[in-house]
Amino acid sequence: MDSSSQLVLLTGFGPFRQYVTNPSWTAVQLAVHVGVATASKVIILEQLAKNNGYKDRDVSGVCPVGHCCVEGGPEKIESLINMRAICKKLSGTDIGIIYSRDAGRYLCDYAYYLSLHHGNRKAAFIHIPQLNDGITAEIIGKTLQLIVQEMLGQVETALHCERAVLVKVSGEGMANHRADTQLPHPHHIEDKTHQPHSLPLPAEHQNHL
């Protein structure tokens, strides 16, 4: 990109030591990862990540223990983002955009799975092609900006729906609580103040009964 372009990199950390919740991660609405797909000529939006099958070693010669991301974790985790919908909406960009359900079971897939696992599915992975005369950094940068904006729109809609559900559930709970604690109707209360009392009769009147 040229020197006038602005680049923002936002990162966060997961749980560590005794800190079960790390606000630097939970405060972030969406984690977006970008990697290169050397054989691709288009941008690829990865819909999901897989837990098992990691057999290739990284540049340091390390392979995940058990060939998996999270022992006992689900086989696959799908992103909260609807990648296919974004591809359809941005079909007229300068570079093609497609979606995929296989991130490759290498470093990209591994990082994506962990991000989805710890981030409650609020993550996305974008594979971009290598640069050439027809695919410049400026084109990719502008397209990534459009993609991320669409992703954030989906996240905001999902959060709005979640809040609406919570408000509805909270309202129903309060209504049920009021119903449980409501006082009985006055007509249902036994009034003993005006009931006649049966008093023992004097001895001289008992013969008349």
Side-chain angles (χ1 to χ4, degrees):
M1 293 185 182
D2 57 53
S3 58
S4 63
S5 299
Q6 294 181 339
L7 176 65
V8 178
L9 177 63
L10 182 64
T11 67
F13 292 92
F16 69 100
R17 295 178 183 169
Q18 73 272 26
Y19 305 102
V20 179
T21 301
N22 191 328
S24 71
W25 178 270
T26 56
V28 178
Q29 287 189 347
L30 180 68
V32 180
H33 308 274
V34 181
V36 63
T38 56
S40 179
K41 302 297 182 183
V42 297
I43 291 178
I44 306 172
L45 307 184
E46 302 293 349
Q47 184 61 60
L48 57 86
K50 298 179 181 179
N51 190 24
N52 297 292
Y54 295 87
K55 299 179 180 179
D56 294 331
R57 299 182 182 275
D58 63 13
V59 294
S60 299
V62 178
C63 188
V65 177
H67 305 291
C68 71
C69 302
V70 178
E71 186 176 356
E75 173 55 31
K76 62 181 180 180
I77 304 178
E78 298 216 16
S79 172
L80 185 70
I81 305 300
N82 187 332
M83 303 299 180
R84 179 180 289 185
I86 294 179
C87 290
K88 290 182 178 180
K89 191 167 184 178
L90 300 180
S91 58
T93 54
D94 294 333
I95 182 173
I97 305 174
I98 64 173
Y99 88 103
S100 164
R101 298 182 64 85
D102 186 359
R105 284 190 173 87
Y106 193 47
L107 297 180
C108 297
D109 212 344
Y110 184 86
Y112 193 20
Y113 186 93
L114 293 180
S115 187
L116 291 168
H117 180 77
H118 295 294
N120 195 26
R121 299 175 55 220
K122 296 176 183 177
F125 200 103
I126 305 172
H127 270 123
I128 61 174
Q130 294 195 74
L131 302 180
N132 55 46
D133 293 337
I135 304 177
T136 64
E138 287 76 16
I139 291 176
I140 290 180
K142 291 178 180 178
T143 307
L144 287 177
Q145 185 177 11
L146 294 175
I147 292 172
V148 172
Q149 287 175 346
E150 290 297 326
M151 289 179 174
L152 290 175
Q154 288 191 18
V155 171
E156 190 62 32
T157 300
L159 291 175
H160 177 75
C161 293
E162 289 179 3
R163 287 192 291 265
V165 170
L166 289 175
V167 169
K168 181 179 179 181
V169 171
S170 177
E172 291 176 350
M174 292 180 64
N176 292 334
H177 177 71
R178 286 195 298 268
D180 292 339
T181 58
Q182 185 177 6
L183 294 175
H185 193 276
H187 295 302
H188 297 160
I189 301 177
E190 184 179 1
D191 187 0
K192 298 182 179 181
T193 58
H194 300 290
Q195 291 183 358
H197 297 281
S198 299
L199 298 177
L201 294 173
E204 59 273 18
H205 295 290
Q206 292 183 2
N207 294 330
H208 296 285
L209 295 179

